[in-house]
Amino acid sequence: MAASAEGTRLLDRWGPAQHPILWISGVHVILALLLFDPKPFLGGDNYWYMLLGESLRSGEGLRDLWLPDMPAHTRYGPVYPGLLAVFGIAGSSIILFKLLSLAFTTGIAALVFLVAEKRTGDRQLALFAGLLAASAPIIVEYAHWILSEPAFTFFLMVAVYSFTRDPKGEDARLFAIGTAAVILASLTRSAGYPLILAVAITLAARQSWKRLAIYGAAVVVVLGAWWLRNKTQVSGDLAYTQWMLFRDPYNPELGTVTFSELIGRLFYNMKLYTITVLPRSLGGRDLSAEIAGTIGIVSGALIVIGALVRIKKLEIIELLFVFYMGLILLWPESWTDQRLLLPLLPVAIVLLMEGLRWSIKKWAGKGAAWIPNAYFALAVVIVGIAAFANVRIMARELNCSRQYWRGNHYACYPPNVVDFMETAVWTGQNTEPDVVVINRKPQIFYWYARRRGDNYPYTQDTDSVMRFFDSVDAKYVIIDRWSSTATRFLIPALQANANKFRIVHMEGDPPTAVAAYLPGGSP
């Protein structure tokens, strides 16, 4: 749809310093810096990415340095670790890595504006879409995490923009950029496969057979090479498809889901994303259940309306929304989280604004003079909800950052986490470099201790746990308070074999303990 004449005149009147992208980017950067958390994310994956970057930078290749036998890594794609390896040349700086994430999330907000403007020709709608992306709490939050989602979402949005501007692939430059973005996204996270399919169908629907053939060949050659590399390596991890089929990834003994359970999971996750994950991504994690449910149902309905209005045209945004949403709805319930929704959120924001505009016009009838004002007011409310969510937590985040910059690098971490990290530091200072240490968060432990190790098996079979200790030649085990898994799986095995363990260090109260493993039993 072409831009309106009034919109064109407005664009002509804007100078370089007045362009909406600058304002959108500015809003996002200001919010992100005010809420900037200089400490690492506690999930473990960010340490994993940094260690993969370290592995590449050191010439070891893509390997899990923290595992006892340093196997080849096959779970995560090489693009994000590669970026961290390059940035790490200037120094393995957590702050520098976080600024890379901020650059990606700023680009995401700008691309939301560009995609919305191209699809609708409505610069006001595009501005609101961009501002909502710039201030959405989950996007602001991920601006300071060293995780692959910002990079993946950025590449995804570059592909969406390229094939929105030129769905037939007639512009060779846009086609090349879009194809490269699809490949980069898919080599960043395996969740890029819905994007691959969406682009292929978009090209096929417009009978762009030559471009489809080139696109398909590029995708098959590059991703096929990555697949072949993984198939020929001995990996220390299961494929994502196997994790996805577990009833509970944190308790594999429960087995895999049946078909009926998979369908039940789909509907359960749909409910959870609608009334909890989506509204708290847009309105803040601290929303009450009632407010979150209301916002989720309304915004979810508008997103679906926005997708259905043009679904018959088989455009990339609608296809991507359907395919990606279908994928994450099948993931285990324990993994249903804002992190999985984040890559789809920019697309959902565009659809939300389109659904809002269409709904107002449909309800009021064409030509109603108050429609622009109503749309403007509702869009302001939506953006305001997102912006206010950041304001609510700003004082707390600034206080934590202030403590960090004053020297407390564990500021605002829970005591059990601090004890774990301090235990890792102690272990690194008081054990031989080649010992293997069993612990709950081996990537985090290796970062602070520089001692290799692995997580204990999630099984209540105490003999299996002990056989695992022997198989990796473990010398120490960390009895942690990180999560309930130690109580469920580790401590029973230690209690059943108490003569084989000796406490050598304790940290905190209640303590996190380091126990030496004596396979032959206490002397």
Side-chain angles (χ1 to χ4, degrees):
M1 183 184 297
S4 66
E6 177 61 21
T8 303
R9 289 195 295 273
L10 284 172
L11 180 60
D12 291 340
R13 292 202 298 268
W14 280 336
Q18 297 171 302
H19 197 282
I21 285 181
L22 291 180
W23 290 97
I24 290 167
S25 300
V27 167
H28 179 71
V29 169
I30 290 170
L31 287 173
L33 292 179
L34 286 172
L35 274 71
F36 190 80
D37 187 342
K39 306 185 305 301
F41 176 69
L42 291 179
D45 285 359
N46 57 341
Y47 291 92
W48 201 341
Y49 284 118
M50 290 190 291
L51 291 172
L52 288 173
E54 182 180 311
S55 177
L56 288 170
R57 195 164 55 251
S58 65
E60 295 284 352
L62 199 66
R63 292 188 171 276
D64 290 327
L65 297 178
W66 46 271
L67 284 173
D69 54 352
M70 294 195 331
H73 181 80
T74 58
R75 178 188 289 195
Y76 301 137
V79 169
Y80 188 57
L83 290 170
L84 295 181
V86 172
F87 273 73
I89 293 173
S92 190
S93 167
I94 287 175
I95 302 300
L96 181 62
F97 295 155
K98 285 172 176 279
L99 292 178
L100 175 62
S101 294
L102 174 56
F104 280 128
T105 55
T106 304
I108 291 165
L111 284 163
V112 167
F113 168 81
L114 293 173
V115 170
E117 183 184 39
K118 181 61 182 176
R119 274 174 61 92
T120 66
D122 186 330
R123 199 157 290 113
Q124 178 176 272
L125 180 148
L127 177 61
F128 281 125
L131 287 173
L132 180 54
S135 55
I138 188 62
I139 297 179
V140 173
E141 179 182 330
Y142 272 73
H144 59 239
W145 292 146
I146 306 171
L147 296 169
S148 64
E149 279 77 10
F152 173 69
T153 308
F154 174 78
F155 294 133
L156 181 148
M157 288 304 296
V158 170
V160 166
Y161 176 62
S162 299
F163 287 103
T164 296
R165 278 192 60 183
D166 183 29
K168 292 185 178 181
E170 294 174 335
D171 184 316
R173 182 176 61 89
L174 280 175
F175 175 74
I177 291 172
T179 300
V182 171
I183 292 171
L184 287 171
S186 301
L187 288 176
T188 303
R189 294 193 67 84
S190 56
Y193 294 113
L195 176 63
I196 294 174
L197 183 58
V199 171
I201 294 176
T202 298
L203 292 171
R206 284 147 187 82
Q207 300 183 342
S208 300
W209 305 119
K210 182 178 178 180
R211 291 299 194 200
L212 178 59
I214 296 171
Y215 167 79
V219 168
V220 168
V221 168
V222 178
L223 296 187
W226 171 246
W227 175 84
L228 185 62
R229 177 262 184 193
N230 290 343
K231 293 296 288 186
T232 57
Q233 298 291 329
V234 177
S235 169
D237 199 12
L238 295 174
Y240 260 130
T241 50
Q242 290 177 269
W243 285 108
M244 187 172 72
L245 293 177
F246 282 133
R247 287 192 174 97
D248 180 359
Y250 300 107
N251 194 358
E253 289 183 323
L254 295 178
T256 56
V257 293
T258 63
F259 179 75
S260 61
E261 288 173 330
L262 197 62
I263 298 301
R265 174 187 288 179
L266 186 150
F267 284 103
Y268 176 83
N269 283 338
M270 187 183 300
K271 174 185 175 182
L272 204 59
Y273 275 110
T274 301
I275 66 174
T276 302
V277 179
L278 173 63
R280 288 179 175 163
S281 297
L282 295 173
R285 295 180 185 271
D286 58 348
L287 289 179
S288 67
E290 295 76 13
I291 294 175
T294 302
I295 293 175
I297 291 170
V298 173
S299 58
L302 291 174
I303 291 168
V304 171
I305 289 170
L308 292 177
V309 167
R310 297 163 61 156
I311 191 68
K312 291 183 179 180
K313 295 182 180 180
L314 295 180
E315 297 185 10
I316 184 172
I317 273 198
E318 286 78 8
L319 292 169
L320 177 61
F321 176 79
V322 171
F323 296 152
Y324 186 90
M325 200 70 218
L327 174 66
I328 64 175
L329 289 178
L330 295 176
W331 282 69
E333 294 93 329
S334 57
W335 285 355
T336 301
D337 184 65
Q338 292 173 322
R339 186 175 176 182
L340 285 180
L341 183 65
L342 175 63
L344 194 63
L345 193 62
V347 166
I349 286 171
V350 174
L351 294 175
L352 188 156
M353 289 297 176
E354 291 186 39
L356 176 63
R357 187 180 65 160
W358 183 90
S359 299
I360 291 175
K361 289 183 176 179
K362 191 72 173 178
W363 178 66
K366 294 181 179 180
W370 55 267
I371 286 179
N373 292 333
Y375 173 69
F376 178 87
L378 289 172
V380 166
V381 169
I382 292 172
V383 174
I385 289 172
F388 184 59
N390 296 300
V391 173
R392 289 199 302 272
I393 63 172
M394 198 168 289
R396 183 189 71 203
E397 296 301 321
L398 286 171
N399 179 56
C400 292
S401 295
R402 188 181 303 113
Q403 292 181 52
Y404 177 90
W405 295 118
R406 289 176 177 175
N408 180 7
H409 288 180
Y410 300 133
C412 299
Y413 278 160
N416 60 322
V417 169
V418 176
D419 292 342
F420 182 89
M421 292 176 173
E422 291 284 14
T423 299
V425 172
W426 182 91
T427 305
Q429 295 171 345
N430 293 275
T431 61
E432 295 297 319
D434 60 347
V435 298
V436 174
V437 183
I438 303 301
N439 65 89
R440 175 65 177 81
K441 290 285 183 177
Q443 302 96 328
I444 298 177
F445 192 86
Y446 182 84
W447 184 264
Y448 292 101
R450 292 290 144 167
R451 297 296 183 267
R452 294 191 176 93
D454 203 349
N455 195 1
Y456 40 82
Y458 289 163
T459 175
Q460 293 177 329
D461 182 348
T462 58
D463 290 339
S464 294
V465 174
M466 300 308 299
R467 284 195 296 270
F468 174 76
F469 280 26
D470 294 332
S471 71
V472 297
D473 195 23
K475 300 299 182 184
Y476 295 92
V477 59
I478 306 301
I479 307 170
D480 67 275
R481 295 182 294 113
W482 192 287
S483 70
S484 63
T485 57
T487 303
R488 292 170 60 192
F489 306 121
L490 176 64
I491 292 177
L494 271 58
Q495 289 174 333
N497 299 271
N499 66 316
K500 296 182 179 181
F501 295 93
R502 176 169 54 87
I503 300 295
V504 295
H505 179 73
M506 292 193 293
E507 192 82 41
D509 184 22
T512 293
V514 182
Y517 176 47
L518 311 168
S522 301

